[in-house]
Amino acid sequence: MSKETVLISGGAGYIGSHTTVALVEAGYDVVVIDNFSNSEAGAIEGVEKILGRKITFEKIDTCDKDALRGVFERHQFNTVIHFAAYKAVGESMAEPLKYYQNNLVSFMNIVEMMKEFNRPSILFSSSATVYGDAETLPVTEQTPRQPATSPYGNTKQIAEDILRDCCRAYERLYGIALRYFNPIGAHPSALIGELPRGVPNNLLPFVTQTAAGIRERLSVFGNDYDTPDGTCLRDYIDVVDLAKAHVAAVDRMTAGKMDEKYEIFNVGTGSPVSVLELLTRFEAVNDLKLPYTIVGRRPGDVPAVWADTSYANKVLGWKAERPLDDTLRAAWAWEKRIRNIK
Ligand code: UD1
């Protein structure tokens, strides 16, 4: 007997595909929608291969309200996980309207449909980016958010606020925002993983593409920060652990166990890792050498951010478990598989 059905927007994406797998493995049924704007049908095939069965998938753009209404008419579910969004910080600076349009319209459409169809629970993909350059570390959910430094980051803050206000105003609506730290890695099967288009902005895809010979060398952005080795500190969370945090949050919502109508959880490991440490571990566990150069700081980077995860550990009963070495092996296994490297 399966538990209830969950609608997953952006379920073909990096975090969405891993979460789809985790939810089905936990006994949920899923309806996945995606417009493939930054993902591919192959991700759905990978998910189905891992699960050994077909899943319900519809190619839908969440910005298209009528198409989205059709999904709500055709399928019964109480919970929605909303991943579908653009996520490139630099692009959001160059094309802010594209980001506000897509990320906010799609989110508001989802909330509006939930209201219209009386569907109660929504889980929103937020980001540690809302903390900006925090005054105290590690950050707890109470650490004040800093003004967003990019339109992308601003869409996360605004969507959090929309969710908070709607949960307050609409009696039936309950919301959880998960603030992801730095998701990395891939499913142990190497059938799904991160698939950035063009030149990757994030560190680990750049690392794996450099190891694969697609990029000549990695640039380390700054080694003059006030950190132990001078490079930035981040909280790298394995994408499979991150997916399981969604299952814990959905369990909490569907069991009607929420303490507040709108709750926020940090999803990280709680351990800071520097850029150089990450590179060195990657080289060691995968037995290879990465060409890299130290260059200047990247504008907009904060020196350090990592999570206090005690609230999520206690309330969600969830904890990051996968050792960093395994995550780095999985990231490389995935890159090798998609590039046909032996
Ligand atoms: C970035 C975004 C953040 C977004 C997140 C999504 C910025 C400023 N922040 O976080 O808003 O939510 O991605 O995953 O873009 N690094 C290098 N060389 C590289 C790439 C990165 O040294 O080629 C360093 C960065 O300086 C940083 C660390 O690696 O210290 C992690 O970078 P990245 O993976 O881009 O994540 P964030 O910047 O933390």
Side-chain angles (χ1 to χ4, degrees), residues 30-335:
V30 292
V31 173
V32 172
I33 57 175
D34 203 298
N35 66 353
F36 295 137
S37 67
N38 192 24
S39 58
E40 285 168 18
I44 301 298
E45 289 160 22
V47 165
E48 291 178 335
K49 246 187 216 162
I50 294 168
L51 295 171
R53 72 160 169 102
K54 292 269 173 210
I55 57 165
T56 306
F57 174 81
E58 294 186 25
K59 186 163 183 274
I60 296 278
D61 185 341
T62 40
C63 286
D64 180 344
K65 203 195 291 183
D66 290 333
L68 189 61
R69 182 174 283 112
V71 175
F72 278 72
E73 282 165 351
R74 282 190 294 281
H75 302 283
Q76 232 350 290
F77 47 80
N78 288 323
T79 306
V80 180
I81 307 184
H82 179 60
F83 291 107
Y86 293 152
K87 61 175 184 182
V89 175
E91 186 189 45
S92 82
M93 309 274 229
E95 293 186 74
L97 206 49
K98 177 175 168 181
Y99 274 67
Y100 288 116
Q101 278 280 356
N102 184 68
N103 292 7
L104 296 179
V105 170
S106 66
F107 182 65
M108 289 189 289
N109 282 347
I110 293 263
V111 176
E112 191 182 334
M113 287 306 113
M114 295 187 68
K115 185 167 171 283
E116 195 172 309
F117 287 81
N118 258 309
R119 311 285 170 87
S121 314
I122 176 160
L123 206 166
F124 173 65
S125 292
S126 191
S127 166
T129 196
V130 302
Y131 295 114
D133 194 2
E135 274 167 27
T136 51
L137 290 167
V139 291
T140 73
E141 290 79 358
Q142 274 70 48
T143 301
R145 297 183 324 191
Q146 302 291 329
T149 52
S150 71
Y152 159 78
N154 210 16
T155 66
K156 293 296 178 192
Q157 296 204 355
I158 296 169
E160 282 193 353
D161 294 346
I162 292 173
L163 186 55
R164 179 202 59 208
D165 294 346
C166 290
C167 290
R168 199 178 279 158
Y170 307 134
E171 207 190 323
R172 284 267 292 163
L173 192 70
Y174 288 78
I176 288 182
L178 296 183
R179 289 178 177 162
Y180 312 147
F181 282 68
N182 290 60
I184 59 167
H187 192 268
S189 64
L191 289 167
I192 51 174
E194 195 167 5
L195 208 57
R197 291 203 173 145
V199 182
N201 299 304
N202 295 118
L203 178 60
L204 206 63
F206 208 106
V207 165
T208 55
Q209 289 196 9
T210 306
I214 299 163
R215 310 283 155 209
E216 208 175 309
R217 59 178 44 241
L218 175 78
S219 297
V220 173
F221 298 137
N223 67 347
D224 57 351
Y225 286 98
D226 185 15
T227 58
D229 65 17
T231 64
C232 295
L233 298 173
R234 293 288 183 275
D235 184 334
Y236 295 96
I237 170 83
D238 184 277
V239 69
V240 176
D241 279 337
L242 177 57
K244 289 179 184 163
H246 293 77
V247 177
V250 171
D251 285 345
R252 180 170 172 80
M253 295 184 122
T254 55
K257 281 190 192 154
M258 290 174 64
D259 296 324
E260 314 274 344
K261 288 203 73 199
Y262 169 58
E263 297 178 341
I264 300 170
F265 296 96
N266 283 344
V267 189
T269 65
S271 304
V273 172
S274 78
V275 176
L276 284 182
E277 277 172 322
L278 197 82
L279 300 189
T280 314
R281 282 318 305 160
F282 184 87
E283 290 182 323
V285 301
N286 293 313
D287 194 22
L288 45 78
K289 278 277 163 221
L290 277 174
Y292 71 85
T293 313
I294 309 276
V295 301
R297 295 181 178 194
R298 180 171 68 176
D301 276 344
V302 300
V305 62
W306 71 96
D308 180 326
T309 61
S310 42
Y311 184 57
N313 298 159
K314 182 166 152 250
V315 174
L316 290 182
W318 166 91
K319 203 173 187 321
E321 283 169 348
R322 207 168 179 202
L324 180 62
D325 287 2
D326 290 356
T327 305
L328 296 176
R329 277 189 204 100
W332 179 225
W334 159 251
E335 187 75 50

